Each structure stands twice: as structure tokens, then as C-alpha cells.
């Protein structure tokens, strides 16, 4: 699979190595295809590299039989190439480099492990600056724990940590140099990263500051921690919705998706579900994306008599598309009649089902207006809603 449209000539490119089959992180599939938040691990890594303005193309190496997993994991993202990996990490990288070499357009390459999903742009900047001088460059972090030798049970001598560093990826190299180093590799021990291959070939590799966000995911707890780190970056948004419909002739009203017998119906172009309309507007408010009238104009015959559950589901899908998580919805219905109380729990359940939320996150309340105003006179119903969501700050 190739895509010329994503390839800038003679730009640095990225090679994501996703060939691992390790399932130590649980979930039954290799960790790079697991989900963190709304995206897979590899999609997070892909996006970080693809979004950087200096990176001209993102190439991938995957393991045998992972094509379907990859397609599902990437969604509509299009890599510049996908190369089958080899028996070892080194062979996988070498295969990916040969694919890039055949395209003949890379000045430098950032070789990145897919299992490091959170890649700050500042690290890419540092690597690209460092590699300009012709050396390789790797992100490193200082070692803060005391280090000792051990046979697995008894402690031996401690190891001075002031001259040690932890090495991360991506690792950046002038393309032709790292390609030649991989072609010349003769072992004997399998390298665990590309800096070792580069140094074996005589290349200088410099260290640039890494980032704790770049930690490699290995165990189940690492994925849970990554999920928590991602959640901590979300911001909370709260928005209101308000709606009114007048009574007209009829024998029932639609309220929160339920058909409730009444002496009148509510007038409206759709099914006039005043409760769902208020919640829909509250959700649209959290993403500052207009209101129910701008998404479903009353002038459009498609919405005549429409099930307002469709409006709510659409608003929820727009929130989800921006990475939003609906934390809570609270609705207040204002009318003298019909009585809401007997239907309250069924209404909550219907809204929870439409929003795919636990029942505990949906509140439905009702009040009369003490016979005051249009609701008090029984001329119509009003509803207001408050929605709280968390989403990436953008
Ligand atoms: Mg309405």
C-alpha cells in the first residue's frame, strides 16, 4: 500500500515499528492495537508523527497476520507504506528502511516503537535539530532509581547511575547512513534499538532530552496508567439547553422518548419531544456547534414527525467525534400535567440508552410553575437541560 499524496520529497520521514506480537499487556491482542481513550496505541503514535509539520511521510512495519488489526486500528489514516516485519526487531526495521529506500525520498528517518503512543512534538523538534549535524540522535531520560546487580534473589554491587541513561524512541538518523548501517549489521547479539546498529557502524549518536510521556507500554498496568494520563489532559465543559412546545389537539405527548397519554399533544415539526430537544441542545452547547435548529432545520421535510432520539444520538456522535466523554446529563421538565413522576425512571433509562451511559449519569426532574406563566396555564411544556462532558482541549 502506498500513497504518493502524503509523501513530501526529501523530507524526514517516520518509520513506526509495530511488528511485535507481545500480549503481556493482556487483552488478547498485541498492545499496539489496544485502545487508549478513543484511539488505538498505534493511532496515537501515528497521529503524533503525521501531525508534525517537518515529517513528510509515516511508514509502518507490522507483524504477519496483523493487516486486519492494523486497518481497524488506523481507521481512515493512510500510511505511506506498510511493510511486513521480520523475525526480530532489527529485521523489521531493516525491511521498513528498504521500503523507504525504494521510494527514494527521505533525508532522515525517525524510527519509533508503536508501543510509545504519546510523543510530544518538542521531542521530534529536538531530534530533527540534532540529526541536522549528521549524527544520530536518541531521546534519553536520567536514571533516578538506585541500580544494583542481582542474580534475581540476592543484591550485588550497586552501579553508579550518573553516567547511565534510559533510552527511548523515536531515534533519528540521516537516512542513507542508518540504511547502510542496517545493511552492514553482522551481530553477534541482536540489538534492542537502532542506536546500537548505528554505533556498531561507527556513527556518532547524541542524546537529547526525552519525555516521561514517551514511556513504553509493556504490561496491563502501563495501559491503565496511559489511560489515566490521557484522561488527565481532558477539560470539562458544561452547557445548557432549553426548549418549549405548545399543546395542541391530541391524546399523548412524547417525553424523553416515551409515549405518555395526555389530554393534549405537543405541537412541533418533529415528534416535539421537549425533553430530548433540551438535552440535544445542551450537548451541542458543549462543543459550541450551533443548536438543534441548525442541525435539523424545521424547514427540512426529512424531520417531519421525526423521532427526536435520532437528534440526541447525532449530537452525542458529534461530541464523541471530538474525543468527548459525556459525564452527566440533568433534565428539568416544567409543566402542570402530565405527571412526570411515574415515568421518571423509564425516561432516565431511555436517555441513558440513547447516550450509552450508565443510569447513574442521567437525571430527570420535573416541576410545576405554580400555575404561573404559559406552563402554569397549561398552554405548553418547557424543559431545560445541563450536560457535562470532558474532552481534549482544542
Ligand atoms: Mg423543540
Amino acid at each position: 500500500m502506498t500513497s504518493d499524496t502524503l509523501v513530501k520529497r526529501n523530507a524526514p520521514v517516520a518509520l513506526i515499528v509495530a511488528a511485535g506480537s507481545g500480549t503481556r499487556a493482556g487483552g488478547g491482542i498485541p498492545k499496539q492495537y489496544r485502545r487508549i481513550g478513543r484511539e488505538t496505541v498505534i493511532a496515537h503514535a501515528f497521529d503524533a508523527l503525521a501531525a508534525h509539520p517537518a515529517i513528510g511521510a509515516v511508514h509502518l512495519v507490522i507483524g504477519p497476520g496483523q493487516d486486519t488489526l492494523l486497518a481497524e486500528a488506523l481507521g481512515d489514516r493512510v500510511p505511506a507504506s506498510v511493510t511486513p516485519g521480520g523475525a526480530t526487531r532489527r529485521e523489521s526495521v531493516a525491511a521498513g528502511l528498504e521500503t523507504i529506500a525504494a521510494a527514494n525520498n527521505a533525508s532522515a528517518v525517525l524510527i519509533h516503537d508503536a508501543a510509545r503512543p504519546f510523543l510530544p512534538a518538542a521531542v521530534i523538534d529536538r531530534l530533527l535539530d540534532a540529526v541536522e549535524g549528521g549524527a544520530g540522535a536518541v531521546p534519553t531520560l536520567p536514571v533516578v532509581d538506585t541500580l544494583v546487580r542481582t542474580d534475581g534473589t540476592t543484591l550485588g554491587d550497586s552501579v553508579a547511575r550518573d553516567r547511565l541513561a534510559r533510552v527511548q524512541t523515536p531515534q533519528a538518523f540521516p537516512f542513507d547512513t542508518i540504511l547502510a548501517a542496517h545493511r552492514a549489521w553482522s551481530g553477534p547479539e541482536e540489538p534492542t534499538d537502532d542506536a546500537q546498529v548505528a554505533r556498531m557502524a561507527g556513527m556518532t549518536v547524541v542524546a537529547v532530552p526525552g519525555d516521561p510521556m514517551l514511556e513504553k507500554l509493556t504490561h496491563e498496568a502501563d495501559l491503565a496508567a496511559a489511560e489515566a494520563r490521557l484522561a488527565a489532559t481532558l477539560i470539562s465543559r458544561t452547557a445548557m439547553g432549553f426548549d418549549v412546545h405548545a399543546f395542541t389537539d391530541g391524546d399523548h405527548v412524547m417525553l424523553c422518548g416515551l409515549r405518555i397519554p395526555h389530554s393534549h399533544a405537543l405541537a412541533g415539526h418533529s415528534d416535539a419531544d421537549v425533553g430530548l430537544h433540551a438535552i440535544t441542545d445542551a450537548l451541542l452547547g458543549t462543543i459550541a456547534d450551533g443548536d438543534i435548529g441548525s442541525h435539523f432545520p424545521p424547514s427540512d421535510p426529512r424531520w417531519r414527525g421525526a423521532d427526536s432520539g435520532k437528534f440526541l444520538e447525532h449530537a452525542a456522535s458529534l461530541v464523541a467525534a471530538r474525543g468527548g466523554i459525556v459525564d452527566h446529563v440533568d433534565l428539568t421538565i416544567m409543566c402542570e400535567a402530565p405527571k412526570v413522576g411515574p415515568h421518571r425512571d423509564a425516561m432516565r433509562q431511555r436517555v441513558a440508552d440513547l447516550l450509552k451511559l450508565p443510569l447513574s449519569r442521567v437525571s430527570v426532574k420535573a416541576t410545576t410553575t405554580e400555575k404561573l406563566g404559559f406552563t402554569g396555564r397549561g398552554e405548553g411544556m418547557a424543559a431545560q437541560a445541563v450536560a457535562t462532558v470532558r474532552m481534549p482541549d482544542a
Side-chain angles (χ1 to χ4, degrees), residues 334-356:
M334 285 160 267
C335 61
E336 298 296 325
K339 283 199 182 312
V340 168
H343 308 286
R344 181 203 312 274
D345 285 338
M347 290 180 181
R348 290 175 64 210
Q349 188 64 60
R350 178 69 184 142
V351 172
D353 289 347
L354 286 166
L355 295 176
K356 299 182 176 68

Side-chain angles (χ1 to χ4, degrees), residues 243-245 273-274 277 292:
D243 195 36
V244 169
H245 282 266
D273 190 323
V274 70
H277 290 187
I292 195 168

Side-chain angles (χ1 to χ4, degrees), residues 106-109 130-137 172-180 203-204:
S107 58
V109 60
V131 84
E132 288 264 304
F173 307 94
F175 182 77
D176 292 342
T177 320
I178 193 66
L179 176 67
M203 198 188 310
T204 300

Side-chain angles (χ1 to χ4, degrees), residues 67-90:
D67 303 73
T68 304
L69 280 172
L70 178 72
E72 288 171 3
L74 287 185
D76 55 8
R77 297 166 183 81
V78 181
S81 71
V82 178
T83 303
T88 64
R89 184 187 183 284
R90 178 187 56 80

Side-chain angles (χ1 to χ4, degrees), residues 15-363:
L15 176 62
I16 299 178
V17 188
S21 59
T23 54
R24 268 184 297 175
I29 59 174
K31 56 184 175 283
Q32 62 269 33
Y33 303 114
R34 296 277 302 276
R35 202 164 281 277
I36 299 178
R38 66 175 167 145
E39 302 293 358
T40 54
V41 171
I42 190 173
H44 283 293
F46 186 99
D47 288 347
L49 288 160
H52 194 284
I55 304 290
V58 181
H59 299 262
L60 302 181
V61 182
I62 63 169
Q66 294 180 353
D67 303 73
T68 304
L69 280 172
L70 178 72
E72 288 171 3
L74 287 185
D76 55 8
R77 297 166 183 81
V78 181
S81 71
V82 178
T83 303
T88 64
R89 184 187 183 284
R90 178 187 56 80
E91 289 177 17
S92 294
V93 172
L97 293 175
E98 293 295 346
T99 299
I100 298 169
N104 191 30
N105 55 19
S107 58
V109 60
L110 274 69
I111 304 173
H112 187 48
D113 291 334
R116 301 179 191 268
F118 303 127
L119 170 53
V123 173
I124 300 177
D125 291 339
R126 292 196 280 271
L127 290 166
L128 291 175
D129 282 350
V131 84
E132 288 264 304
V138 303
T140 65
L141 288 179
V143 176
V144 294
D145 296 319
T146 295
L147 295 179
V148 296
R149 298 185 197 285
T150 174
D151 59 9
T153 53
T154 309
L155 292 198
D157 295 338
S158 61
V159 180
R161 65 189 173 198
D162 56 335
R163 296 179 71 85
L164 295 177
R166 295 192 290 140
V167 176
Q168 302 181 315
T169 78
Q171 301 187 346
F173 307 94
F175 182 77
D176 292 342
T177 320
I178 193 66
L179 176 67
H182 267 275
R183 284 176 174 171
W185 173 266
S186 59
E189 287 181 19
E190 277 298 314
T192 53
D193 74 350
D194 300 287
Q196 295 166 56
V197 178
R199 291 188 63 253
M200 184 69 92
M203 198 188 310
T204 300
V205 180
V206 301
V208 304
D211 195 296
M213 285 292 281
L214 263 173
E215 292 293 356
K216 188 173 187 172
L217 308 183
T218 305
H219 300 102
E220 185 69 35
D222 300 338
L223 275 102
E227 188 95 42
R229 274 205 299 277
L230 190 66
T233 67
L234 302 180
I235 61 162
S236 180
R237 294 185 181 192
T238 300
M240 287 189 55
F242 179 72
D243 195 36
V244 169
H245 282 266
F247 282 127
T248 185
D249 291 342
D251 61 3
H252 73 278
V253 296
M254 294 303 295
L255 268 184
C256 294
L258 300 188
R259 181 190 170 101
I260 296 174
H262 189 51
S263 56
H264 292 79
L266 288 171
H269 188 71
S270 66
D271 65 5
D273 190 323
V274 70
L276 293 187
H277 290 187
I279 300 171
T280 300
D281 262 353
L283 286 181
L284 292 173
T286 65
I287 53 173
D289 189 5
D291 54 34
I292 195 168
S294 55
H295 288 271
F296 305 99
S299 54
D300 189 330
R302 271 184 302 168
W303 314 125
R304 186 184 304 280
D307 171 3
S308 297
K310 295 270 178 282
F311 301 166
L312 183 60
E313 286 177 323
H314 181 68
S317 75
L318 294 176
V319 171
R322 305 207 191 175
I325 299 163
V326 178
D327 279 332
H328 190 253
V329 167
D330 180 36
L331 175 71
T332 302
I333 298 168
M334 285 160 267
C335 61
E336 298 296 325
K339 283 199 182 312
V340 168
H343 308 286
R344 181 203 312 274
D345 285 338
M347 290 180 181
R348 290 175 64 210
Q349 188 64 60
R350 178 69 184 142
V351 172
D353 289 347
L354 286 166
L355 295 176
K356 299 182 176 68
L357 289 179
L359 188 62
S360 62
R361 296 206 216 161
V362 177
S363 161

